[in-house]
Amino acid sequence: MLKLTHLTKTYKEKRIFQNARFEAELGEIVLLMGKSGIGKSTLLDIIAGIKQYDSGEYYYQETQLFPENDEQMSRFRNQMIGYILQDFALIDDYTVMENIMLPSLYNSQIKKSTAEKRARELANRFDLSDVLAEKVRKISGGQKQRAAIIRSLILDPPIILADEPTTNLDSENFELVMRLFNQLKQEGKVLIIATHDERILSIADKAYHVVNYKIIV
Ligand SMILES: Nc1ncnc2c1ncn2[C@@H]1O[C@H](COP(=O)(O)OP(=O)(O)OP(=O)(O)O)[C@@H](O)[C@H]1O
Ligand SMILES: [Mg+2]
């Protein structure tokens, strides 16, 4: 269970959340919808511990998380979160494989060979095997999107945050990603997906909308 209560967040004078509440259970696919600029990516960043908030309480399972506690938050982020960012956040001058393997460099609990095997399996499934050795700056938008998805899964985290993960996918890859998300759900993970893509509603357990500084079902 992941829970944020009494969440308030402002950027300087711009209000984003006011006493908002968000909850997701393991084994759920949760969508985060709402118009552009309303705060979806901000919420994912808060969940990932990348952004601070003004006030609120954040719990994962029985543990309360404190965003100002860098050590706790970075351990939580590294061990529990896989994040597919809206702009992919891939490194152009690294190869696809090097990018996919990045999370494993910061985590001593997974062997490099295990991560690499997982990377190759996922790349094969998403038709990326041929570009694993290419520099990211040479691959297409859809290939970048799939590389970012694979990178988020390399450590097999229980919480997967996905920011507009289907924007660049053709229908074939869209179907592959939906199947993957469903499989992750079956494995008991929680997926929190910020999206404008209504096609994803068909696999969602819950769809939240950000409206009036609140996160409502
Ligand atoms: N670091 C920042 N400093 C100041 N304002 C910011 C910052 N990041 C985001 N904002 C503002 O906060 C609001 C919410 O941004 P956010 O990226 O969370 O929206 P979003 O719902 O993800 O939008 P989109 O659907 O376009 O991705 C926007 O008005 C944005 O300009
Ligand atoms: Mg966004």
Side-chain angles (χ1 to χ4, degrees), residues 11 14 16 35-42 51 86 196:
Y11 289 114
K14 189 180 172 64
I16 306 292
K35 65 179 190 207
S36 179
I38 203 81
K40 303 180 298 296
S41 299
T42 301
K51 277 207 178 120
Q86 191 160 17
H196 298 280

